[in-house]
Amino acid sequence: MDVDAAVFDVFGTMTDWRSSVTVELADIGGRAGLDADWPAVADAWRRGYRPVLERFLGGELPWRPLDDLHRLMLDDVVTEYGLDGLGEAERDMLVQAWHRLRPWPDAAAGLELLHHTRVITATLSNGGVGLLAGLTKQAGLRFDCILSAELVKSYKPDRRVYRMAAELLEVEPRRLLMVACHPDDLEAAAEAGLRTAYIPRLEWGPDAERVDPPAGVDLVADDVIGLARALGATG
C-alpha cells in the first residue's frame, strides 16, 4: 500500500489497557484494604467510555481532557462496585494508570521497522498530548509525531480529528492510513477520506470474541510488525 503517513489508535491497538489497569486497580485497591473482581472493575471503567463520548458529541457535555473523563467514569464505577474506600489520592493515582499502559509485544518492534521506511508515524488518540507523550516514551513506542484529538478540542470519531491529522502532517487524506483495532474508528476515518488498516486485538481479555474488521477496510495485518512489512519495511 502506497501511503505517506500512518496514524495509530493507542488505547487497545498499541497498548494492553485491560491488564495494565487491572494490575493498578488491584494494587491501589489492595493497599486501601479493598477486594473486588478487579478485571470486571477495569471492564466497567472502560465500558463507560463510549456513553461519555456520546454525551459530548451530542452536545450534553463540554469538552474536557481525557483524564477528566476517566475520573468521571471512575467515580461511577466506584459507586457501582462499592469501592468508596478509594479516596481522592487513590482515585487520582488510578486515573494516572492510563498514562502507564503496557504495550502489546509487537508494538515497539513494528514501529521501529516503520521508522526505517519513508512512512511517517504518529499517534491519533483521544488521549491528550501530554498523556500520549509520557505513555509512548515509557512504553518504548517510537512515533515520529504525537497527535491528539485534543488539538481540535474534540474526540474520535469526530471527522475533524482525522482531517486535522492529514492537515498537520501535510498529506492528502487518501495517503494517510488510520491503524486501529476498533471498527468504528476505522469507519469514521474512511468517511473522512483516510485509508484504513485493521489489527485484531483481544483487548477485552483472552476469552473475548474476536472482532471482525469493518467492511471495506484497505488492509488487515496480524500485528504492527505485519503492518510494517505490508508498508514496505524489511527485517
Side-chain angles (χ1 to χ4, degrees):
M1 179 185 295
D2 189 15
V3 295
D4 297 319
V7 290
F8 291 75
D9 168 69
V10 175
F11 300 119
T13 305
M14 302 300 285
T15 59
D16 179 4
W17 63 263
R18 187 176 190 263
S19 68
S20 304
V21 171
T22 296
V23 167
E24 299 226 23
L25 280 164
D27 178 43
I28 294 170
R31 285 190 274 123
L34 301 171
D35 187 30
D37 181 346
W38 298 116
V41 175
D43 289 348
W45 193 359
R46 180 65 172 175
R47 285 196 182 98
Y49 183 65
R50 176 58 61 183
V52 168
L53 288 190
E54 288 175 353
R55 290 173 63 192
F56 162 75
L57 294 170
E60 182 182 345
L61 289 177
W63 183 86
R64 305 182 191 181
L66 187 61
D67 279 350
D68 290 359
L69 297 188
H70 275 149
R71 176 56 190 268
L72 185 67
M73 293 181 279
L74 177 62
D75 288 343
D76 289 340
V77 171
V78 163
T79 300
E80 178 183 353
Y81 280 83
L83 300 173
D84 296 304
L86 290 171
E88 291 294 313
E90 288 87 1
R91 297 185 197 198
D92 288 345
M93 284 190 289
L94 284 170
V95 168
Q96 290 295 308
W98 295 91
H99 294 232
R100 299 186 290 268
L101 303 180
R102 295 179 300 206
W104 293 110
D106 58 276
L111 285 176
E112 190 62 28
L113 286 173
L114 280 170
H115 187 72
H116 297 285
T117 71
R118 57 177 293 278
V119 177
I120 296 168
T121 60
T123 62
L124 189 60
S125 169
N126 287 336
V129 172
L131 183 160
L132 293 169
L135 168 59
T136 56
K137 187 174 181 65
Q138 65 86 30
L141 298 177
R142 187 179 185 183
F143 286 100
D144 297 319
C145 181
I146 299 295
L147 296 179
S148 163
E150 178 181 54
L151 296 172
V152 289
K153 294 293 188 287
S154 190
Y155 300 105
K156 296 184 296 179
D158 185 340
R159 177 189 181 96
R160 291 180 299 154
V161 176
Y162 307 99
R163 301 293 293 198
M164 169 271 294
E167 290 168 9
L168 292 182
L169 293 175
E170 298 184 352
V171 301
E172 296 180 27
R174 65 183 179 82
R175 297 189 62 83
L176 177 59
L177 183 69
M178 179 73 220
V179 184
C181 67
H182 306 123
D184 59 345
D185 196 355
L186 296 177
E187 289 167 351
E191 289 175 2
L194 276 61
R195 309 287 291 280
T196 56
Y198 176 76
I199 294 178
R201 298 293 194 195
L202 293 176
E203 62 170 323
W204 294 91
D207 297 326
E209 293 184 7
R210 182 185 174 101
V211 177
D212 292 330
V217 69
D218 295 295
L219 174 65
V220 176
D222 290 336
D223 54 25
V224 184
I225 294 172
L227 173 79
R229 288 175 176 155
L231 296 181
T234 58

